[in-house]
Amino acid sequence: MAPVARLRNAAHAEEKAEVEVLTADAAKYGELARKLRALQTSLEGGGRTVRDAIGPVHSNTREHQIMIHNIDKLDVHIDKLLEPGQDKSREERIIRAGPSKVGLNEYMASLKRLERALSQMTSTNLRANQQAIGDYNELLSEGSNRLQDLFRSALLENDRPIEPLHYITKQLPFPVFPPDKTSHLGAMDKFVSSPSARAANFSHRESPSVRIYSDCRSPYLVNSLQSLSLATITTSKVKNTDVPYRQGTSAIGEYASAMEGLFLAELQNISAIFPREDWGTAIEITSRKSLADFAKTIRELNMYIKQKTTSMCFLAFEIVEVVTSVAHRIHAATGDTKLPFAESLKPLRETARSSLPELLEDQRRRIAAIPTFPIDGSSLPFTTETMTRLQNLTAYPKCLSSVLTSLGDGNWKHASGPNPTHTDSSASLPSLKSFDVGADGTQLLTHYIIDSLDAHLTALESRARILMKNKAVHGVFISNTIALIDRMIRSSDLASYLGNSSSAQSKLDTWRKKGTSTYMDAWREPSSALFDVQYTNRSGPRPQSGASINSTDVVKSLGSKDKDAIKEKFKLFNSSFDECVRRHRELMPGMEREVKSALGREVGNMVEPLYARFWDRYEAVDRGRGKYVKYDKGALAAVLASLE
C-alpha cells in the first residue's frame, strides 16, 4: 500500500507543479495583454491625431484634382464653342459673292453652316462669341436678302399675263411652274422661312417667301383676269332690258372658269413650294386682289340688274349658280381655307332672292295695266313671255333651290319679304347639302312655278271679266291661254317639274274646265229652246225607254197653243243656234288647235242630243215645209262637225 501511496503523492506533486507553472504563465500573459491594450489605445489616439491632421489636406488635394479635370474639359469645350466662329472669313466670302457666282447649292450650304454655327454660339451665351454672333447675324441677314431677291427674280420670270380663254376654249391645263423650278424655290423657301432667317430679318415677322410669292403672283392673276372682268360687264349689259336675259349671254361662265383654273394652278405651285401650313395663307393673300376685282365686278352687275329686276334677275341666277359651283370646287381643293366668294356674292344673292316675289307682283301689275284684250279670244303675248320666264327658271335649279330654301315655301307670294323666321344665308355660301338639288329643292321650285301660273291665270281672268263682256270670247280666251301654257310646259323642262305634279295638273284642269264652262254659257240660249213640258196624264201610258216616237202622233196630241209654242221654240233655236255658230266661226281663227277641237266637241255633246230628242218628237209640226224646222238631224250634225 505504501508504494502506491508514494506514487500517488508523487503524481499529485507533479500536477501541482504544472499548475503553478501554468498559473505563472497566465499571470505573465495577462500582464502582456494589459500592455498590449494600453499600446493599442495609444496607437488609436495617435491615428486619430494623424487622421485629423491629414484629412483636410487630402480633401483639398482631391478637390483640386477635380477642378483641374473640369478646367481641362471646359478648355476643350470652349475650343469647340469658339470653333464655329473661326470659319467666318470663308462664309463671308461666299455670302458676299452671291448665289449667282458661287452657285445656289454652295450658297445654300454656306447659309446652313452659318445658321448652324449661329445656333450653337447663341446657345452658349459666351461673351467671347457676342461679336461673332453679331457678324453672323449680319451675314445671315444679307444672305437671306440675296436669297429673297433670287426667289423674287425666279418668280418674275413667269409674270407675263396669260389669255385664259385660250386655255378654256381649247380645254388646256392652266400653266404651272416646272418641277425643277418648284424644287429650287422650295429649297430657298426652307431657308428664307426658317426661324433664324426670320430673326435675322426684323422687318418681316411673317414668312418672307410667302409675302414675295403673293407680291409677284397677285399682279399676274389680276392682269390675266382683267379682260374677262371687262368682258363680263360688257356682255351682261344688253341693249333691250325689257327682254328677259338669255342664259349664256354674259361671259360670267368664262370669268369663273378662268378664276378656277388660275387659282387651282397657283395652288398647285404653292403646294410644291411651301410647307402645308403655309398653303392656306399663300393662296389667300395671292388671290386677294383678283377677288377684290371680282367683287367690284359683281357689285356693278348687281346695280345694273336692280334697275330692271324682272328681266335681268336671270343674270343674277346664272352668276350665283356658276360662281357658287366654282367656289365649292376651289374650297374642296384648298381645304380649310375659304376664299371670300360668299362675301362677293352677298348683294347679288339678296337681289336674286327678292326678285322671286317681284316677278309675281310684276305679273299682276302688267296684266292690270293691259288696256284691251284680243277680240278673237286669242292668248296674250304676255302669257308667252311669262311662260318663257318660267322656262328660263328651270335653267338655274341649284341657285333657285338655295334661294327658295332661304325664302321659305310660299313666302314668295308676299312682296314685302319672307317670314322673319326664315333667315337668308347670303352672308356665307350655302352648304353643299343645301345647294344640292334634291327632292326638297325640286319641290320648292315646282311650288313656285305653280303659284306663278295660278297668279297669272287669276289676274288674267279677273281682267277679262272687266274687258270682255262676251262670254264666248271670254271662254275662248281662257281656253286658249290654258292650251298655250300646257303646250309650253310639255315642250320644255317645265314638264320635269309639273308633269308628275298632281297639284299642277289639278290647277290646269280646273282652269281648263272654267274656260270651257264660260264658253258654253253662250250656248245656253239655243239649248234652253229645246226643253219642253210633257204631261204624262194626257196621252195615255208613257212610251217605253228606247222606243221609237211617232212625231205625227205627238203633234196631233198637242193643242193649238202647244203647237204654237213648239213652233216658236224651233224658230228661237234656229236664230240663236245660227248666231252661236256664226260667232263660233268668227272665233275659230283665233282658237288654238286643241281648243277648237275641244270646244266644238263640247258644243256637239250638249246640243246634238237635245236637238235630236226635240226633233224626233216635234218635226211634224212643220209638215216638211222648212218654215219652222230648219235643220234635220243630219244637217245639224254636219254643222256641229264643222265647228271642230
Side-chain angles (χ1 to χ4, degrees), residues 134-202:
D135 294 341
Y136 272 40
N137 272 325
E138 290 182 3
L139 286 176
L140 272 178
S141 178
E142 181 177 349
S144 177
N145 290 335
R146 285 176 176 267
L147 208 57
Q148 290 179 37
D149 292 339
L150 182 62
F151 191 86
R152 180 180 288 102
S153 62
L155 290 173
L156 291 177
E157 291 174 358
N158 301 87
D159 68 337
R160 185 176 180 181
I162 64 170
E163 181 51 60
L165 278 179
H166 171 75
Y167 298 91
I168 295 173
T169 55
K170 295 188 176 183
Q171 298 183 342
L172 299 174
F174 281 74
V176 295
F177 295 153
D180 57 341
K181 183 164 189 171
T182 57
S183 176
H184 290 156
L185 291 172
M188 286 187 278
D189 169 69
K190 288 181 181 178
F191 174 78
V192 172
S193 300
S194 64
S196 58
R198 294 193 193 189
N201 192 346
F202 299 103

Side-chain angles (χ1 to χ4, degrees), residues 225-490:
L225 292 170
Q226 186 175 20
S227 60
L228 282 176
S229 174
L230 295 174
T232 299
I233 295 174
T234 302
T235 54
S236 298
K237 294 183 177 181
V238 297
K239 293 181 179 180
N240 186 3
T241 57
D242 292 329
V243 178
Y245 169 81
R246 186 166 54 88
Q247 186 182 24
T249 302
S250 171
I252 186 62
E254 289 76 10
Y255 190 13
S257 297
M259 282 195 295
E260 179 182 9
L262 286 168
F263 288 176
L264 293 182
E266 288 307 307
L267 186 62
Q268 186 174 342
N269 290 336
I270 288 169
S271 60
I273 296 172
F274 301 106
R276 187 174 186 85
E277 59 268 18
D278 287 338
W279 292 359
T281 303
I283 189 63
E284 191 275 326
I285 62 176
T286 302
S287 61
R288 187 178 295 164
K289 290 183 179 179
S290 53
L291 284 173
D293 287 348
F294 171 73
K296 182 180 178 181
T297 302
I298 294 299
R299 287 194 299 272
E300 184 171 346
L301 290 177
N302 185 53
M303 293 175 61
Y304 173 72
I305 292 170
K306 291 173 74 173
Q307 294 175 2
K308 194 66 176 178
T309 304
T310 54
S311 58
M312 298 306 296
C313 63
F314 301 98
L315 174 59
F317 301 151
E318 180 176 12
I319 294 174
V320 172
E321 178 141 332
V322 169
V323 175
T324 306
S325 297
V326 167
H328 280 305
R329 291 195 293 270
I330 294 176
H331 289 172
T334 57
D336 294 335
T337 303
K338 303 298 182 184
L339 301 183
F341 284 102
E343 289 76 7
S344 302
L345 287 178
K346 182 177 179 180
L348 201 62
R349 271 183 60 81
E350 182 58 34
T351 299
R353 182 170 173 265
S354 62
S355 68
L356 293 174
E358 175 62 23
L359 287 175
L360 297 180
E361 188 61 27
D362 179 67
Q363 284 191 108
R364 301 184 185 99
R365 287 196 304 264
R366 293 181 62 178
I367 291 174
I370 295 176
T372 57
F373 276 18
I375 59 175
D376 60 353
S378 57
S379 59
L380 291 172
F382 182 63
T383 298
T384 303
E385 181 182 337
T386 299
M387 292 305 298
T388 302
R389 281 183 179 179
L390 296 179
Q391 289 175 344
N392 291 341
L393 287 179
T394 62
Y396 314 103
K398 295 180 180 179
C399 169
L400 290 173
S401 173
S402 172
V403 171
L404 289 171
T405 300
S406 68
L407 196 59
D409 194 357
N411 286 323
W412 48 74
K413 297 178 183 179
H414 312 293
S416 58
N419 190 311
T421 59
H422 291 83
T423 58
D424 185 24
S425 58
S426 59
S428 61
L429 285 176
S431 65
L432 286 172
K433 182 178 180 181
S434 68
F435 204 70
D436 181 36
V437 185
D440 291 341
T442 302
Q443 187 178 32
L444 284 175
L445 184 53
T446 300
H447 290 176
Y448 180 80
I449 294 172
I450 292 173
D451 288 344
S452 296
L453 291 175
D454 192 52
H456 183 80
L457 290 169
T458 301
L460 283 179
E461 204 276 334
S462 176
R463 189 64 175 163
R465 283 201 305 269
I466 298 173
L467 298 179
M468 291 181 168
K469 304 303 181 182
N470 188 303
K471 286 192 173 183
V473 179
H474 187 174
V476 170
F477 172 73
I478 296 298
S479 298
N480 277 335
T481 301
I482 294 298
L484 174 63
I485 290 174
D486 187 64
R487 185 169 62 250
M488 294 189 73
I489 288 174
R490 296 179 187 279

